[in-house]
Amino acid sequence: MDPVIVAGAGPVGLALSLALAAQGVPSVVLDEGPGKEEPRPARTAVLRPDMAAFVERLGCTTVRDEGTRWRGWRSMRRKQETRHVLFAGPEADGAAEVPADEDGDIVSPLHIAQHALAHGLREAIGLLPRRSLVQVVTHSRLDAIEQDGDGITVHTRGPGSTWWRGSYLVGCDGARSTVRKLLGVRFPGRTAVERHAVATLRAELPWDGEGLLHRQPPWRGVGEEVTARPLPDDGWRLDWLLPPRGDLVTPDALVARIRETLAGWCGETPAYDLVDTGVYTLHHRLAKRWRVERAFLAGDAAHLLGALGTQGLDEGLRDADNLAWKLALAWHHGASDALLDSYQAERRTAVAARLRAADQSLPVLRGTGGLRTYLRGGGHDALLTEGHVGRGPLGAPPAYPHSPLAPPYSEAQASVGTLPGAAVADVPVTAPEDGTTGPLRDRLGRGRLLVVLVAPGTGVWDRRHWMTAGVMPRLAAAVEALPVPGELLVTEAYPGAAAHTVLLVRPDGHLVAAFGGVQPEELHAAADAVRGGSPESGRRDRTADAACTRG
C-alpha cells in the first residue's frame, strides 16, 4: 500500500510521521525548506503534560534536554498577588516533588523553543530502526492534488519536481496551507484577536522557575499585562499585551519596556542577556472541513488559536495523535468512513469549544465596565491562569464524550474516575505476557486497543500463574477475539474503579468504556464501535450512496 503523504515539516507534520512509523505506516514528508530550522528563541511552545509525553514517546529527547517544567504559577494585579498555584510532580532537573494547590494535583506543562522541538523530532526520524518508514523530501512545495478511489496523487515543484502517490494526504503546512486552498476549504474566523511584544532573555528574576501573569503593573510604559515564563538556563520568555491597533514597536521602545519591567519586579534593572525579540499577532480561525475524501488538515492548517494562554501547537500535536492511529488502522486493516470522519468530529468540535471559550472571555477580560467590573479581582486572574496552566475551558485537555466512535451505553458498563471519552489516568501497568511494567501512557500510540484489568494485589502474585488464574483466561480470550489488535494489561488500582473492572482504552489514551467484570460480548461490541464498524460495511455504504446518486 502507498505511504501517507504529509505536507509540511513543522512539529505537527514531523510528529505525525513519527506516530505513523510507530504503528508501522510509512510516510513521505514534503518539506518546503532545506531540512533544518532557523533558531528563533522567541518562538516557544507550552505543551500540556500528556502532549509532552506524546512527543517524548516518539523518541524526541529534546523535551527533556531543552524544555523546562515550571515549579508554579503566580498571578498579580498591580502590586498584589492574587493567585499562586504550585505544580505537583518531578521537576525537569529531577528535584523532589512540590505540593499541589487546594484544588488537587496539577502537573506542570512543558515550555520549549519550537525550533528545538522540531530539531528533536528530526533527530528522532534519523534514529528510526527502519528509516524507510519516514522519507523527508526537502525543497518540495505541493502545488496540485488529484484523488481517486484507491489513493491520492500530489505534485511538488522545486529542484526535484515530481508526482507522489499516497494512500492519504495530511496538510500540516501552516496557516497559509496550500493543501487547504487546493481542497477549496474555507478558513473563517477573527483577525488580530491579540497583539504581543515578546522577548527571550537570561536574567535572575525573583520567582525561581515559576511563571508569572502580571495584570495592570504599576509602572509606566509597560502596558496592561505582562507574562513571564521560565526557560532552561535562567532563560525567560516575556510577553507584553499590546493595544489591538497601535504604533509599531521599535527596538528602542522594546528595550525600554524590558528595562522598565525588570526594574519593577527587581527594584532596579538587573543584568540581563537579551536573546531574541519579536512582535506577533494572534488570529482565531477554524477550517470548515478537516477531511475531504482521502485528504486531511491538521495543526495551523486546520485552526489558529492562542489568545488568553491557550496553546495552538499543543492542539496541533493532539490532531496528530488523534489522526495517526485512525490512519494506521485504515492502512493496515481498511477503515469505514465513520472512523475517518471521527477525526473531524472529535478534533474540530474540541478546538471549536476552546475558541468559543476564548472569544466569550475576551470581552470580559479586555473590555471595560459591566461584567468586567463585577469580576474585578480574582475572577479574571483565575480564568487567565487556567489557560496558562492547562485547566478549565481555556486550558484543560479535551475529552470526546459525544464521539461517533463511542459505543452505546449498556448495563454492563461501570463508572470509574474517568468519564468515557476523556483521557485515562496514567497508572502503573504490567503486561502479563512478558512481565514488563511501566506507566500506562508508555503503552499508547502502538496501534492497539488497550484492555486494562483492575486487579488489586497483583504485586504479590507470582506472574507465572496470572494467565491461568481467576478471570484472566476468559479476558485473554476476549482480547484475542477483538476485531482490531488489542493488548491486555493489569493494574493494581485505577481511580474510582472496583476490583475486576475492565477498561477499554483507545491508542491515543482516551477511555472507550469500563465494564464491571469480564464481558466478552460487550468488549467486542465496544471495540467494533471504536473502529467505526467494519471496513466492508463502509465500502458497501459508499457503493450504495454512489448508486443512489447515479439513480
Side-chain angles (χ1 to χ4, degrees), residues 1 148-151 168 291 294 329-341 531-548 550:
M1 193 169 177
D148 56 55
D150 298 319
Y168 299 96
R291 179 195 175 196
R294 289 178 172 267
L329 191 59
W331 198 88
H332 287 296
H333 306 286
S336 67
D337 273 346
L339 175 68
L340 298 179
D341 283 342
R531 67 169 179 163
S534 68
E536 290 75 15
S537 66
R539 283 195 287 269
R540 286 196 300 270
D541 291 344
R542 291 195 295 275
T543 302
D545 290 344
C548 292
R550 288 193 298 271

Side-chain angles (χ1 to χ4, degrees), residues 282-304:
L282 293 171
H283 311 286
H284 280 179
R285 295 188 179 276
L286 187 65
K288 282 290 189 180
R289 299 177 66 185
W290 290 27
R291 179 195 175 196
V292 179
E293 299 178 18
R294 289 178 172 267
F296 301 81
L297 300 175
D300 285 355
H303 51 77
L304 294 176

